[in-house]
Amino acid sequence: MAADALSIIPGAVLRNLADKLYEKRKNAALEIEGIVKQLSTAGEHDKIAAVIGLLTNDFTYSPQANHRKQGGLIGLAAVTVGLTSEAAQHLELIVPPVLNSFLDQDSRVRYYACEALYNIAKVVRGDFIIYFNKIFDALCKLSADSDANVQSAAHLLDRLVKDIVTESDQFSIEEFIPLLRERMNVLNPYVRQFLVGWITVLDSVPDIDMLGFLPDFLDGLFNMLSDSSHEIRQQADAALSEFLQEIKNSPNVDYGRMAEILVRRAGSPDEFTRLTSITWINEFVKLGGEQLVPYYADILGAILPCISDEEEKIRVVARETNEELRAIKADQAEGFDIGAILVIAKRELNSEHEATRIEALHWFSTLLVRGRAEFSAYLDGIFEPLLNALSDPSDAVVLLVLEVHARIAEEYHHFQHLMSYLIHTFHNNHVLLEKRGALIVRRLCVLLGAEKVYREFSTILQTEGDLDFASTMVQALNLILLTSTELAELRSLLKKSLVDTCGKDLFLSLYASWCHSPMATISLCLLAQVAYNHASSVIQSLGEEDINVKFLVQLDKLIRLLETPVFAYLRLQLLEPGKHTWLLKTLYGLLMLLPQIFIEREAIEINMQWTLLSLLPEGYISP
């Protein structure tokens, strides 16, 4: 075949084709073009194939660089021009050697390959499409070529190929997408610009459904949002903005696959990427409907951390999305996985950010209200973490934890577990009892009922083996009982112990554990009004005790409480001393417990004495 070609093309033409002088190469190419045109007119396509073979083997694949860059490539382009409308049937011979030249180590060869393919494409136009993926792959590599001239030539070729594709009805987006997806994770900035350019162009073609294939390259676009080049970030953002607008206007969108990508990107260290992904998630939650139900847990897992983001814009969008998500009504039949959501909420209970922990607790409450039966099925896995959250450093978190526990504690065995856990926790953490005990107990009384809470505490403390802790715990509960507005009704019930069987029963229930603390016992007797004589007896028994600083502190607290509004009725009863002899003896007994020496040096003791003396009626004891 080579011999046939040599007989067709004069040797002088072949020599000039590889000459150093441009004019000689140009004239040789024109002669080849004319010869091929004549052969095409005559229908001698075998001879044309022989000419192409000669140019390919002896020039394009030649070990001599001049032959490759000047002879073969220029010659193949000339053949194509000569064939004009007949060129399509020979493209399988013409295009591969040109594409192969894109990989040549010599930059001049790569440059002429771009020039040759440009001229070939101008001739064949739409027939060129069958080689699109290979050409795209080659252009993708050339866009990052080390030689600026090659890059420039590749850009010219790229623009022509884009024009051809946009006007062609033979372009296959289905065949192209796998190649695009493969290239989207390339980090080279020139390649990234090349890829975004193609995505934008293809998306502008009405007959090409790029939106339908968006999940295939969405992750790559998001990856570009954190590129070091401002221009690339802008191009990627513009492309994403356009796609999001199309999503809003399209009735058919594959939200699920894209949601998985967005969830991953919401955790990006790059602020702009996080903001863009959370914005997309927000729109998806509004638009996605039933499609997104199976992905709610994953979406929630992305949203909750963003609620505590350093960037305010991200926090605002995340909070809005969280509210949208929580407002959506869905059931298990639609794919709503309450277990998966509880796993996310439990995980975020350990977040270092208070705002995220709070929202996680709101989800526990929401799911409890939405479906208690379904929630209960997962309770074993979340009850302990919720109990541990009672030690959270944030008061706001603790209050919400208590609300969740209160809802769970509607079942009595859970209520018992909660109360036992609190006693156990206070036992192991006296600081928590001191700093948070009142907050926790008061809130539980509001949520679950003060009488129910106090009866249960008393029942548990009756069998407490650590007597020192039992005394401390009872003293804390007693102080809350006597001072908190939330327990006003409980105090009122105890004051009716003399005439109300419920009050009497409550008194007996509390007394069983209040005995761990003498001062608590005395204050309970004074509050109930039915046991002044017993209070006096308790005081008498204290004479055998060691009067130490700890004892005096408790005595001081009790005496100060006697001046509060809670015991106003007691002070009024002193106006009728004949009816309340035991009350007088009780108060006098408290006075006698105070040290009678070194009073001038102990201000606390002086204050305690004067407080008691002021309570007693004139004529019974004079100061």
Side-chain angles (χ1 to χ4, degrees):
M1 182 173 289
D4 292 341
L6 289 171
S7 66
I8 298 169
I9 301 177
V13 173
L14 294 175
R15 286 192 297 274
N16 288 337
L17 197 60
D19 199 275
K20 293 181 180 180
L21 295 175
Y22 172 75
E23 286 299 324
K24 288 187 176 182
R25 295 198 305 274
K26 179 181 178 182
N27 290 331
L30 290 173
E31 289 194 42
I32 291 175
E33 178 185 330
I35 293 169
V36 169
K37 189 176 293 185
Q38 291 177 359
L39 293 174
S40 176
T41 302
E44 298 187 65
H45 288 282
D46 289 341
K47 291 183 178 181
I48 295 173
V51 170
I52 295 172
L54 172 66
L55 294 171
T56 300
N57 297 320
D58 290 5
F59 287 86
T60 306
Y61 293 150
S62 171
Q64 298 181 44
N66 282 343
H67 281 66
R68 295 198 306 276
K69 67 187 177 185
Q70 296 170 349
L73 293 169
I74 293 176
L76 290 173
V79 168
T80 306
V81 175
L83 284 167
T84 59
S85 60
E86 301 291 327
Q89 60 184 300
H90 293 284
L91 284 180
E92 61 182 12
L93 295 176
I94 296 171
V95 173
V98 178
L99 292 175
N100 184 70
S101 298
F102 285 139
L103 303 175
D104 201 283
Q105 293 183 350
D106 190 323
S107 62
R108 296 295 293 169
V109 174
R110 300 195 299 274
Y111 174 86
Y112 280 109
C114 290
E115 184 182 83
L117 196 57
Y118 183 91
N119 291 324
I120 293 169
K122 279 174 55 178
V123 174
V124 298
R125 302 296 292 185
D127 294 325
F128 191 64
I129 294 298
I130 60 173
Y131 295 100
F132 175 77
N133 276 14
K134 292 181 179 179
I135 294 169
F136 179 87
D137 190 42
L139 285 172
C140 187
K141 295 171 183 175
L142 291 177
S143 65
D145 199 278
S146 58
D147 187 281
N149 291 326
V150 175
Q151 280 193 24
S152 179
H155 290 160
L156 289 173
L157 175 60
D158 181 54
R159 284 199 288 271
L160 176 60
V161 174
K162 284 174 180 172
D163 289 341
I164 293 171
V165 168
T166 55
E167 67 187 25
S168 172
D169 58 0
Q170 299 177 42
F171 176 75
S172 174
I173 185 66
E174 292 80 7
E175 293 178 8
F176 169 65
I177 288 297
L179 178 61
L180 176 63
R181 182 174 59 239
E182 181 183 338
R183 293 286 180 271
M184 286 302 291
N185 291 323
V186 175
L187 300 179
N188 186 283
Y190 296 107
V191 175
R192 283 183 162 182
Q193 284 185 304
F194 171 81
L195 295 172
V196 175
W198 268 100
I199 290 171
T200 303
V201 167
L202 293 176
D203 187 47
S204 67
V205 180
D207 294 334
I208 297 178
D209 180 24
M210 284 294 281
L211 182 60
F213 293 96
L214 181 56
D216 290 283
F217 55 88
L218 180 65
D219 192 55
L221 280 176
F222 267 91
N223 201 27
M224 295 179 191
L225 291 176
S226 58
D227 195 276
S228 58
S229 167
H230 179 68
E231 185 177 358
I232 293 174
R233 292 198 302 273
Q234 281 190 322
Q235 290 175 348
D237 181 48
L240 286 168
S241 298
E242 182 61 32
F243 278 119
L244 184 57
Q245 189 59 45
E246 291 176 26
I247 288 171
K248 293 178 182 179
N249 298 328
S250 175
N252 299 311
V253 178
D254 184 359
Y255 290 101
R257 284 181 62 196
M258 289 190 285
E260 294 175 354
I261 296 168
L262 298 175
V263 164
R264 290 197 303 270
R265 291 297 172 181
S268 170
D270 178 68
E271 180 183 298
F272 187 49
T273 303
R274 293 199 307 278
L275 176 59
T276 306
S277 60
I278 206 72
T279 300
W280 275 60
I281 290 174
N282 180 272
E283 294 294 341
F284 276 27
V285 169
K286 294 175 182 176
L287 300 169
E290 295 181 359
Q291 280 195 52
L292 282 178
V293 173
Y295 301 93
Y296 276 4
D298 293 334
I299 291 173
L300 183 63
I303 291 171
L304 289 180
C306 288
I307 286 174
S308 302
D309 199 277
E310 294 179 358
E311 172 55 46
E312 183 181 2
K313 291 180 181 178
I314 296 176
R315 295 198 302 271
V316 170
V317 178
R319 285 188 178 280
E320 179 184 328
T321 308
N322 185 52
E323 294 303 318
E324 291 276 353
L325 197 63
R326 199 156 53 214
I328 295 174
K329 305 298 182 183
D331 54 41
Q332 290 179 309
E334 297 172 307
F336 184 76
D337 190 347
I338 185 174
I341 292 179
L342 285 171
V343 167
I344 296 298
K346 182 174 73 171
R347 182 189 74 193
E348 295 306 326
L349 278 181
N350 296 318
S351 170
E352 61 180 313
H353 302 291
E354 178 185 346
T356 293
R357 299 198 300 276
I358 286 174
E359 291 306 321
L361 287 165
H362 281 312
W363 270 98
F364 282 113
S365 296
T366 298
L367 295 174
L368 259 171
V369 172
R370 186 175 292 182
R372 184 177 183 84
E374 293 84 357
F375 186 97
S376 298
Y378 300 96
L379 193 54
D380 289 343
I382 62 175
F383 197 68
E384 287 301 319
L386 279 172
L387 288 173
N388 294 335
L390 288 169
S391 299
D392 195 278
S394 163
D395 285 350
V397 171
V398 171
L399 291 174
L400 280 173
V401 172
L402 291 171
E403 288 186 16
V404 175
H405 277 299
R407 287 194 173 96
I408 296 174
E410 291 176 8
E411 298 175 15
Y412 185 65
H413 66 284
H414 290 312
F415 171 71
Q416 287 181 308
H417 191 176
L418 171 62
M419 304 304 285
S420 297
Y421 175 85
L422 283 173
I423 294 293
H424 176 74
T425 302
F426 289 145
H427 181 274
N428 294 331
N429 190 344
H430 285 239
V431 175
L432 181 66
L433 174 59
E434 180 182 343
K435 293 186 176 180
R436 288 277 183 73
L439 174 71
I440 292 173
V441 173
R442 290 167 59 187
R443 189 58 185 164
L444 280 177
C445 288
V446 172
L447 295 169
L448 295 172
E451 183 176 354
K452 180 180 180 182
V453 170
Y454 264 69
R455 281 181 179 273
E456 189 64 29
F457 273 137
S458 182
T459 300
I460 297 171
L461 289 171
Q462 286 178 43
T463 57
E464 174 60 49
D466 186 341
L467 297 183
D468 285 339
F469 166 71
S471 176
T472 300
M473 189 69 205
V474 165
Q475 290 164 17
L477 290 172
N478 185 64
L479 184 62
I480 297 168
L481 172 63
L482 296 177
T483 58
S484 300
T485 56
E486 294 88 346
L487 279 81
E489 291 186 8
L490 195 64
R491 291 194 295 271
S492 296
L493 184 58
L494 284 168
K495 290 176 184 178
K496 299 175 185 177
S497 298
L498 189 62
V499 295
D500 190 310
T501 56
C502 293
K504 180 180 179 180
D505 183 63
L506 175 61
F507 172 81
L508 294 174
S509 175
L510 298 184
Y511 183 87
S513 61
W514 256 237
C515 289
H516 285 300
S517 168
M519 294 305 158
T521 304
I522 294 168
S523 64
L524 182 64
C525 291
L526 294 176
L527 183 64
Q529 303 184 69
V530 296
Y532 292 154
N533 59 336
H534 183 65
S536 179
S537 299
V538 172
I539 292 172
Q540 290 289 336
S541 70
L542 293 177
E544 303 173 4
E545 298 291 328
D546 178 25
I547 307 298
N548 53 29
V549 174
K550 185 176 180 181
F551 178 90
L552 288 175
V553 169
Q554 291 302 314
L555 181 58
D556 178 49
K557 288 182 179 179
L558 173 57
I559 292 172
R560 292 179 186 278
L561 284 170
L562 294 178
E563 285 190 308
T564 64
V566 171
F567 285 106
Y569 68 91
L570 182 148
R571 298 194 297 276
L572 292 173
Q573 288 176 358
L574 292 175
L575 298 175
E576 301 178 284
K579 293 177 60 176
H580 302 289
T581 304
W582 287 110
L583 173 58
L584 291 171
K585 288 187 176 182
T586 298
L587 295 177
Y588 188 63
L590 290 175
L591 178 63
M592 292 300 101
L593 286 175
L594 298 177
Q596 300 302 305
I597 59 175
F598 304 122
I599 292 180
E600 293 80 2
R601 298 190 308 179
E602 299 292 340
I604 182 173
E605 294 166 7
I606 295 174
N607 290 335
M608 291 163 63
Q609 286 190 343
W610 277 102
T611 296
L612 273 176
L613 292 172
S614 66
L615 292 173
L616 296 174
E618 185 177 358
Y620 280 83
I621 301 175
S622 58

